[in-house]
Amino acid sequence: EVGLEHVASAIHESTKPLFDAVGDWCDARFAQMYAASAGEKSAYVMAVTSTLAHVADVQPGLFRAAAGNGALQMARLRLAERVMRSFVDHASLARDVDQGFKMRIVKECGEIETALSASFSLLGAEQESPAFKCARAFKSLILLPTESIDGSPLVRDVVPRVLLHHLYSRASADLSTPAKRASLSVTQYASWINKKATDAEIWRGIKGTLDVYAETHAREAENDVVVALMRKIGEERMAA
């Protein structure tokens, strides 16, 4: 058992530089989604899916070899989950979300999931992965009317931070985002929530924007369905 733990540790350490580089590269591509056109296949999706296939072809022993439930398979799954989370996090931060954007994101989310499953030979492990479940539920979330979100089983697997960030796209333009309030670009904020932030820290930032909105737009905030839903989700599921 100790020997197997050493093997697992060695696999983690030896694959980490490559897997981190792949994850970082995908993060940078996903940051381009805000400028993508809804009328054509997005360049960032083509770049990510083709690169995933490329690294798997170049290193088939790492990405394509059947590995059961061993350490290598788990390392591949962790990388796949990171890429999937990054895509959903970036999509949830989009503020201008029209019908074209919604349909594009639904399509692209499926394309990324398929590419990860095929390129990394996940052998169905992604079906029970929280990150992949969140991605599938997010596709339902962005198509649901706001009044149907609370308590819907379709969005049960969407993690609170993703749900809260997405709700900014349904809120009044007068409600500032945490990124804007902190003088960060969307890309900088996405990097922070992906690599450093805890749920409690994210909620403090979101709550701060809700509190400012309540102070400066008291009448509007009092009857704002989106703001009320955000407070409920944050206080029930993210507050420390």
Side-chain angles (χ1 to χ4, degrees):
E1 192 168 321
V2 172
L4 290 174
E5 290 175 358
H6 284 307
V7 170
S9 176
I11 289 173
H12 173 73
E13 292 302 320
S14 62
T15 58
K16 190 175 187 301
L18 173 60
F19 286 10
D20 283 352
V22 172
D24 290 344
W25 194 90
C26 291
D27 289 346
R29 303 290 81 70
F30 292 146
Q32 299 170 3
M33 73 168 58
Y34 314 110
S37 169
E40 58 186 28
K41 187 175 177 66
S42 302
Y44 69 86
V45 173
M46 295 177 64
V48 167
T49 54
S50 62
T51 297
L52 293 176
H54 172 70
V55 295
D57 287 341
V58 171
Q59 293 287 348
L62 289 181
F63 291 99
R64 298 199 188 279
N69 293 318
L72 181 56
Q73 181 73 4
M74 293 305 297
R76 294 199 302 234
L77 179 60
R78 283 194 297 268
L79 173 58
E81 288 175 328
R82 175 189 169 176
V83 174
M84 200 76 259
R85 277 195 301 269
S86 177
F87 176 84
V88 173
D89 279 336
H90 278 285
S92 73
L93 294 174
R95 193 73 192 264
D96 299 321
V97 178
D98 58 16
Q99 191 63 23
F101 180 88
K102 292 177 181 179
M103 299 310 296
R104 193 188 90 210
I105 290 299
V106 168
K107 180 174 180 289
E108 292 175 354
C109 192
E111 291 174 348
I112 297 295
E113 180 177 355
T114 298
L116 288 167
S117 178
S119 298
F120 292 3
S121 299
L122 297 179
L123 305 177
E126 74 280 8
Q127 294 304 313
E128 296 303 317
S129 160
F132 281 82
K133 284 184 175 181
C134 177
R136 290 190 285 269
F138 182 73
K139 292 190 291 184
S140 296
L141 168 64
I142 62 175
L143 298 177
L144 277 178
T146 302
E147 61 271 16
S148 300
I149 291 175
D150 191 22
S152 172
L154 296 175
V155 300
R156 182 169 47 214
D157 293 320
V158 178
V159 297
R161 65 173 65 184
V162 168
L163 180 50
L164 286 169
H165 286 141
H166 169 71
L167 287 173
Y168 279 96
S169 68
R170 301 171 184 246
S172 166
D174 293 322
L175 176 61
S176 181
T177 65
K180 185 174 181 180
R181 186 164 180 260
S183 300
L184 297 174
S185 68
V186 178
T187 302
Q188 289 171 325
Y189 182 75
S191 178
W192 177 68
I193 65 174
N194 272 325
K195 297 180 179 179
K196 298 179 181 179
T198 65
D199 280 354
E201 289 171 333
I202 292 172
W203 169 236
R204 281 198 292 272
I206 292 173
K207 184 177 182 298
T209 68
L210 299 177
D211 291 344
V212 169
Y213 181 65
E215 292 171 4
T216 57
H217 298 79
R219 183 176 298 177
E220 295 89 336
E222 185 177 354
N223 299 309
D224 194 310
V225 175
V226 176
V227 168
L229 180 57
M230 292 174 75
R231 284 196 183 277
K232 177 182 179 182
I233 294 167
E235 290 168 359
E236 290 180 354
R237 302 176 61 186
M238 292 189 73

